[in-house]
Amino acid sequence: MDMNFDLAQSLEVLARTPSTFRALLSGLSDEWIAADEGPNTFTPFDNLGHLIHGERADWMTRARLIVAQGDVRRFEQYDRTAQDRESRGKTLAMLLDEFETLRAENLEELRALNLCARELSLEGEHPAFGTVTLRQLLATWVVHDLGHIAQTSRVMAKQYREAVGPWRKYLPVLDR
Amino acid sequence: MDMNFDLAQSLEVLARTPSTFRALLSGLSDEWIAADEGPNTFTPFDNLGHLIHGERADWMTRARLIVAQGDVRRFEQYDRTAQDRESRGKTLAMLLDEFETLRAENLEELRALNLCARELSLEGEHPAFGTVTLRQLLATWVVHDLGHIAQTSRVMAKQYREAVGPWRKYLPVLDR
């Protein structure tokens, strides 16, 4: 079932995520944007802020560290709550623009690296589970994007968990 | 946590789904579009075909039946495999256009009904679980859209289940 990692195909997905979030969320009522799945869960707004923090602090920062193969190959711990600070006072429209700009810059840098198979096999060190390759990092970037699209849709769907009445048992997204 | 059903807020989501699918899928490699989660599971292409069939045969057909309050208020059984026939020979681009057109027509009809609270409480009969209201039908339409956005993203994400290596345990979307 699985596809092999392919850089060009990964870039296809990574390049589309900002427009997907824009299509899904832009102009929606605040109630959708601020909806959550209970205490300490991400709203659609949080999902977007979290992706923005990844653009600043995670994916390309780690990719650079691996490609450089310097003395330090251990990644910094990723901050899963950074968006609580960084999104404060911003509108959804601002976040959508910010994500689009940062992602475009990061993909420009990634493309310019012209990574070959040998470089994709270079290793870094994850603070929790040790040795990982650049290929695994980039595959994770793709899956992480898709996971947050799925999560954002699911959070929204759950707002109508009671409203759908008896249809609930046909809608597995409501109980994930 | 739940939001109450609101027609205007539901229309916001329903109106965005075609653009979300376009942003997510348009121009992707065939391998993404034809990816699945194993035997008898939907590909992204199937998800889109399934939504198109719903535009033709399900949501507004059932809504009309409820609003009419005629002798027959029992819905036809929904065909979950209709897209196997109806999408045959079509390209993804054709499906994206078709979905956009049908959805726009259906929402135009829905808006023109000018449904009030009394009408939203009118009842129809679901072939499997009996009495349902128009309000529940429309809430289900919204959740169904969001569920298929989530499903499409998840199917794509799973193609890199092996490629992410040790990150898998941080990516719950891969094991849903």
Side-chain angles (χ1 to χ4, degrees):
Chain A
M1 184 184 79
D2 282 29
M3 284 164 58
N4 290 320
F5 176 82
D6 178 275
L7 183 56
Q9 287 178 340
S10 299
L11 283 161
E12 289 175 6
V13 175
L14 293 172
R16 278 162 176 76
T17 308
S19 345
T20 302
F21 271 90
R22 190 178 291 280
L24 183 62
L25 299 181
S26 180
L28 282 182
S29 293
D30 288 346
E31 275 168 280
W32 289 121
I33 301 304
D36 63 32
E37 296 175 284
N40 299 311
T41 60
F42 280 12
T43 65
F45 190 82
D46 293 334
N47 272 277
L48 190 53
H50 170 74
L51 288 169
I52 288 171
H53 184 68
E55 296 306 300
R56 291 198 196 285
D58 185 351
W59 309 108
M60 285 307 294
T61 310
R62 291 178 170 190
R64 265 177 238 125
L65 203 79
I66 295 177
V67 171
Q69 291 291 299
D71 291 340
V72 178
R73 299 178 196 177
R74 192 183 165 90
F75 309 149
E76 299 280 331
Q77 192 87 40
Y78 186 77
D79 180 359
R80 283 193 165 59
T81 59
Q83 69 279 355
D84 294 346
R85 301 185 305 279
E86 296 178 0
S87 300
R88 203 173 292 150
K90 295 183 185 167
T91 62
L92 178 82
M94 289 164 73
L95 295 191
L96 289 170
D97 288 347
E98 199 175 348
F99 182 41
E100 187 175 273
T101 304
L102 291 169
R103 174 58 60 91
E105 288 169 5
N106 280 331
L107 295 190
E108 195 180 356
E109 184 184 349
L110 178 58
R111 287 195 182 92
L113 289 174
N114 260 313
L115 298 169
C116 60
R118 188 191 58 78
E119 288 161 313
L120 289 168
S121 299
L122 290 174
E123 293 173 349
E125 196 194 336
H126 189 280
F129 44 70
T131 305
V132 289
T133 65
L134 179 54
R135 187 179 288 107
Q136 288 167 341
L137 174 73
L138 298 177
T140 302
W141 194 359
V142 172
V143 171
H144 184 264
D145 270 21
L146 293 166
H148 283 286
I149 295 169
Q151 183 177 349
T152 300
S153 306
R154 184 187 72 224
V155 173
M156 291 171 64
K158 283 189 182 173
Q159 306 316 305
Y160 276 178
R161 188 152 56 178
E162 299 303 323
V164 301
W167 261 288
R168 179 163 170 177
K169 61 173 161 303
Y170 282 23
L171 297 163
V173 70
L174 294 178
D175 291 289
R176 282 217 162 89
Chain B
M1 183 184 81
D2 281 29
M3 284 164 58
N4 290 320
F5 176 82
D6 178 275
L7 183 56
Q9 287 178 341
S10 299
L11 283 161
E12 290 175 6
V13 175
L14 293 172
R16 278 161 175 78
T17 307
S19 344
T20 302
F21 271 90
R22 191 179 290 280
L24 182 62
L25 300 180
S26 179
L28 281 183
S29 293
D30 288 346
E31 274 167 280
W32 289 120
I33 301 303
D36 63 32
E37 297 175 283
N40 298 312
T41 60
F42 279 12
T43 65
F45 190 82
D46 293 334
N47 272 276
L48 190 53
H50 170 74
L51 287 169
I52 288 171
H53 184 68
E55 296 305 301
R56 291 198 196 285
D58 186 351
W59 309 108
M60 285 306 295
T61 310
R62 292 177 171 192
R64 265 178 238 127
L65 203 78
I66 296 176
V67 171
Q69 291 290 298
D71 292 339
V72 179
R73 297 177 196 178
R74 192 184 166 89
F75 310 149
E76 298 280 330
Q77 191 87 42
Y78 187 77
D79 180 358
R80 283 193 164 60
T81 59
Q83 68 279 355
D84 295 345
R85 301 185 305 278
E86 295 178 0
S87 300
R88 203 172 292 149
K90 294 182 185 167
T91 62
L92 178 83
M94 289 164 72
L95 294 190
L96 289 169
D97 288 347
E98 198 175 350
F99 182 41
E100 187 175 273
T101 305
L102 291 169
R103 173 59 60 93
E105 288 169 5
N106 280 330
L107 295 190
E108 196 180 355
E109 183 184 350
L110 178 59
R111 288 194 182 92
L113 289 174
N114 261 313
L115 297 170
C116 62
R118 188 192 57 79
E119 288 162 314
L120 289 169
S121 300
L122 291 174
E123 293 173 347
E125 196 194 335
H126 188 281
F129 44 70
T131 306
V132 288
T133 64
L134 179 54
R135 186 179 287 106
Q136 288 168 341
L137 174 73
L138 298 178
T140 301
W141 193 359
V142 172
V143 171
H144 184 265
D145 269 21
L146 293 166
H148 283 286
I149 295 169
Q151 182 177 349
T152 301
S153 306
R154 184 187 73 223
V155 173
M156 291 172 64
K158 284 190 181 173
Q159 307 315 306
Y160 276 179
R161 188 152 57 178
E162 299 303 323
V164 301
W167 261 289
R168 178 162 171 178
K169 62 173 161 306
Y170 281 24
L171 297 163
V173 70
L174 294 179
D175 292 289
R176 284 216 160 89

